[in-house]
Amino acid sequence: MSGGEFASRGWEPGTVLHHRPATRAARGELVVVRDGEEVLLGFWGLEIGRPALFTDQGSTWLGESARVVGVVTAVEAPLAF
């Protein structure tokens, strides 16, 4: 993670997320999505009937080309340097 999208959960920038490959997600799961050239991270859900990702910064509607590539399975604190 590079931003403050999940600050309400105490996940600071640099938090390490581990994911397992997946092509489907259940509502509420934290997922990694590829939408064209962009890689997005958020909680999978629906908004007004459209697939969307949710973060502390709001929701992002996904286009038809968006594909789930992984479901997050573990979260680790940022690495200390």
Side-chain angles (χ1 to χ4, degrees):
M1 279 183 12
S2 60
E5 301 93 4
F6 302 100
S8 68
R9 295 181 176 271
W11 300 346
E12 301 172 15
T15 298
V16 178
L17 302 173
H18 299 276
H19 70 278
R20 65 173 165 75
T23 56
R24 303 186 93 184
R27 192 176 289 181
E29 286 185 312
L30 183 59
V31 296
V32 179
V33 172
R34 180 170 292 280
D35 192 1
E37 294 296 315
E38 248 185 318
V39 176
L40 306 167
L41 177 68
F43 289 96
W44 182 260
L46 294 175
E47 183 174 62
I48 312 174
R50 293 187 62 166
L53 294 180
F54 298 90
T55 68
D56 289 352
Q57 298 171 345
S59 61
T60 302
W61 285 2
L62 300 172
E64 292 197 21
S65 66
R67 299 290 178 250
V68 173
V69 295
V71 175
V72 174
T73 57
V75 178
E76 292 181 10
L79 298 173
F81 292 96

